[in-house]
């Protein structure tokens, strides 16, 4: 056990008491306007001190709060491979914004996360110069492929999303395998498998073919490509999946107009999985706190949207 991690977990215990409680969410919900709701958050120090000239720019408030949580994770989690695993999502959000900005001739750095692995301004300049060598082999390969696709006339933003998403999963798998914490690989496996299963619903609904689905499948997790393709061909084969995935796919294929229930289950099972590994002498408290901040940010977003739309 790293003694520094033990000290960090003590700090995390204090930070956890500052997560928004039910009373604060009630105040947000009861706000008479978006201006009032944003004021409630800012009075609580939400957004790490950012001030908004327009309450409709509340996404900047949420991004700053999450950016601060990323900074705390980097400081308070002493398994650096686990940190890199967690940061992949935000590194690749930045990469997608900067690659799209490159071809749209727009500056999207204001929307990038400040505390991800790479300086966003240096990253933007490197991308403009088609120089990706400093950003890892998976991201570099994906960006080179995007350049090739755009040069050949395939200039859809979907190309950027697809290639960088697949690279993100590859990089996540690398760090999950290197992490000293078993739960990190379990988190990767759950996220990858459920993402592949949700893709079946999304692509079928959009009219894609099985051959097109094959191009989107992320390999490397416990549900193999052949199993996923069997589910595509015959949904009844989902009954042969391990229990947690059988139940998950039932949510995906149920009579819903969206994947809302499945997406919520993806989060719920993730949180339960982390809770199973509860141990104050490990990095578990750092992971649990970070995901609590991620979930809090999303709940605040939904509440603000509801206030905005109901007034």
């Amino acid at each position: 056990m790293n003694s520094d991690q033990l000290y960090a977990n003590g700090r995390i215990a204090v930070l956890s008491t500052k997560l928004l409680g039910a009373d604060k969410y009630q105040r947000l919900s009861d706000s008479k306007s978006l201006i009032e709701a944003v004021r409630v958050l800012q009075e609580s120090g939400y957004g790490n001190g950012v001030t908004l000239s327009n309450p409709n720019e509340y996404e900047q408030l949420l991004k700053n709060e999450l950016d601060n949580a990323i900074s705390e994770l980097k400081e308070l989690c002493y398994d650096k491979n686990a940190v890199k695993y967690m940061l992949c999502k935000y590194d690749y959000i930045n990469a997608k914004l900067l690659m799209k900005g490159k071809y749209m001739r727009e500056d999207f750095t204001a929307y990038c996360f400040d505390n991800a692995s790479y300086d966003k301004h240096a990253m933007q300049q490197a991308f403009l110069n088609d120089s990706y060598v400093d950003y890892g082999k998976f991201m570099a390969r994906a960006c080179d492929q995007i350049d090739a696709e755009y040069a050949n006339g395939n200039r859809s933003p979907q190309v950027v999303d697809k290639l960088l998403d697949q690279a993100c999963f590859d990089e996540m798998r690398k760090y999950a395998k290197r992490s000293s914490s078993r739960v990190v690989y379990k988190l990767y496996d759950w996220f990858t498998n459920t993402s592949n299963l949700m893709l079946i619903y999304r692509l079928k609904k959009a009219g894609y073919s099985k051959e097109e689905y094959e191009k989107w499948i992320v390999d490397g997790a416990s549900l193999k490509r052949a199993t996923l393709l069997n589910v595509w061909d015959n949904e009844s084969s989902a009954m042969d999946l391990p229990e947690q995935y059988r139940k998950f796919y039932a949510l995906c294929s149920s009579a819903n107009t969206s994947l809302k229930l499945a997406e919520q289950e993806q989060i719920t099972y993730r949180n339960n999985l982390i809770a199973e590994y509860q141990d104050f002498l490990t990095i578990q408290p750092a992971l649990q706190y970070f995901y609590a901040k991620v979930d809090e940010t999303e709940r605040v977003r939904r509440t603000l949207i509801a206030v905005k739309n109901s007034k």
Side-chain angles (χ1 to χ4, degrees):
M1 170 63 193
N2 187 324
S3 60
D4 290 332
Q5 187 64 62
L6 184 60
Y7 172 74
N9 289 347
R11 290 184 57 197
I12 290 166
V14 175
L15 288 172
S16 296
T17 65
K18 299 180 181 180
L19 291 166
L20 297 183
D23 58 332
K24 191 68 68 176
Y25 285 114
Q26 190 62 53
R27 283 190 63 194
L28 283 176
S29 297
D30 291 343
S31 297
K32 297 178 181 179
S33 66
L34 184 60
I35 293 175
E36 182 181 335
V38 169
R39 186 183 302 121
V40 168
L41 289 172
Q42 291 182 312
E43 288 173 354
S44 303
Y46 212 78
N48 202 28
V50 68
T51 57
L52 301 180
S53 58
N54 183 342
N56 289 298
E57 297 173 352
Y58 60 80
E59 283 293 343
Q60 187 63 43
L61 190 77
L62 302 181
K63 186 184 82 68
N64 273 35
E65 185 69 15
L66 189 50
D67 236 331
N68 187 59
I70 293 170
S71 179
E72 290 170 339
L73 177 72
K74 290 163 71 175
E75 179 184 358
L76 299 174
C77 181
Y78 283 84
D79 180 340
K80 296 311 173 187
N81 285 305
V83 172
K84 289 177 180 179
Y85 168 83
M86 302 286 275
L87 291 188
C88 278
K89 174 180 178 179
Y90 306 98
D91 293 337
Y92 279 84
I93 287 174
N94 286 359
K96 286 191 279 188
L97 284 167
L98 296 177
M99 285 301 285
K100 290 174 183 178
K102 168 183 173 177
Y103 284 104
M104 295 172 67
R105 292 180 170 80
E106 297 282 351
D107 183 357
F108 290 148
T109 53
Y111 305 102
C112 291
F113 288 95
D114 296 317
N115 292 318
S117 300
Y118 310 109
D119 177 82
K120 62 184 182 181
H121 298 292
M123 195 177 187
Q124 180 192 47
Q125 192 58 50
F127 280 24
L128 289 172
N129 293 328
D130 302 339
S131 177
Y132 314 116
V133 67
D134 293 331
Y135 301 99
K137 67 176 184 179
F138 297 116
M139 186 180 291
R141 183 176 62 197
C143 289
D144 281 333
Q145 291 173 330
I146 291 166
D147 287 340
E149 291 288 339
Y150 270 64
N152 290 329
N154 187 7
R155 305 177 71 86
S156 168
Q158 189 182 66
V159 170
V160 177
D161 292 336
K162 177 184 176 183
L163 290 172
L164 282 171
D165 280 345
Q166 290 177 328
C168 182
F169 278 102
D170 287 338
E171 194 151 344
M172 288 169 66
R173 182 172 65 254
K174 177 181 76 173
Y175 291 123
K177 286 183 174 180
R178 291 180 179 178
S179 172
S180 61
S181 176
R182 187 180 178 193
V183 70
V184 176
Y185 190 81
K186 286 184 171 288
L187 289 169
Y188 161 79
D189 198 56
W190 168 254
F191 180 62
T192 304
N193 287 331
T194 51
S195 295
N196 278 330
L197 289 171
M198 286 193 290
L199 263 176
I200 294 176
Y201 173 89
R202 288 194 174 105
L203 296 188
K204 279 193 170 183
K205 184 177 180 180
Y208 282 69
S209 67
K210 177 182 176 180
E211 290 70 28
E212 289 168 314
Y213 173 60
E214 286 189 80
K215 297 176 183 178
W216 283 83
I217 292 174
V218 177
D219 292 306
S222 57
L223 293 186
K224 304 304 180 186
R225 176 175 290 259
T227 299
L228 294 166
L229 292 175
N230 283 339
V231 175
W232 176 282
D233 288 334
N234 181 7
E235 288 194 347
S236 64
S237 68
M239 295 301 295
D240 298 326
L241 296 174
E243 181 180 10
Q244 71 269 33
Y245 296 114
R246 182 169 70 249
K247 292 180 177 179
F248 183 83
Y249 190 71
L251 293 176
C252 295
S253 58
S254 59
N256 299 303
T257 57
S258 70
L259 285 167
K260 183 177 180 180
L261 294 177
E263 289 169 345
Q264 184 55 54
E265 176 61 17
Q266 190 181 45
I267 294 169
T268 299
Y269 188 91
R270 177 203 71 194
N271 292 342
N272 290 340
L273 185 59
I274 294 174
E276 286 179 14
Y277 283 79
Q278 188 169 14
D279 186 343
F280 195 74
L281 301 179
T282 70
I283 66 168
Q284 186 270 351
L287 302 183
Q288 189 170 44
Y289 172 72
F290 180 74
Y291 278 128
K293 289 299 297 184
V294 171
D295 294 345
E296 176 188 84
T297 303
E298 184 55 36
R299 185 176 177 185
V300 169
R301 175 181 288 108
R302 293 197 304 268
T303 305
L304 291 176
I305 291 172
V307 169
K308 180 180 179 179
N309 291 340
S310 63
K311 308 304 178 184

